[in-house]
Amino acid sequence: MRIGSSIVLIALGAVLSFALTPGLIPYVNQVIIGYIFMAVGVIGLIVSLIMASSHRTVVHRQEPDVREY
């Protein structure tokens, strides 16, 4: 999961939890589903940021062994 999809899940969860009237979707507790989407989005965002920050590579260049006679 990348950063963009994590943000989409957080936004979708917030809409389901706070913006829609309860009971709009029959037989589904949309508030709980919204909270689950937001939790998964936050976890995905944290994991994405950790993976992005640890992806740095450091290249150590060694000077060539040049001998002058």
Side-chain angles (χ1 to χ4, degrees):
M1 184 181 311
R2 298 208 177 187
I3 295 174
S5 58
S6 298
I7 293 174
V8 167
L9 274 177
I10 294 170
L12 182 63
V15 167
L16 280 174
S17 296
F18 308 124
L20 296 179
T21 57
L24 186 66
I25 304 170
Y27 306 111
V28 174
N29 190 348
Q30 65 198 32
V31 175
I32 297 298
I33 292 176
Y35 287 147
I36 291 170
F37 279 176
M38 286 191 290
V40 169
V42 167
I43 292 169
L45 183 65
I46 291 170
V47 169
S48 296
L49 291 174
I50 290 172
M51 294 295 287
S53 68
S54 67
H55 189 63
R56 298 180 187 167
T57 57
V58 178
V59 178
H60 296 284
R61 297 187 185 240
Q62 186 176 8
E63 294 294 323
D65 189 20
V66 179
R67 297 179 184 170
E68 294 182 21
Y69 295 102

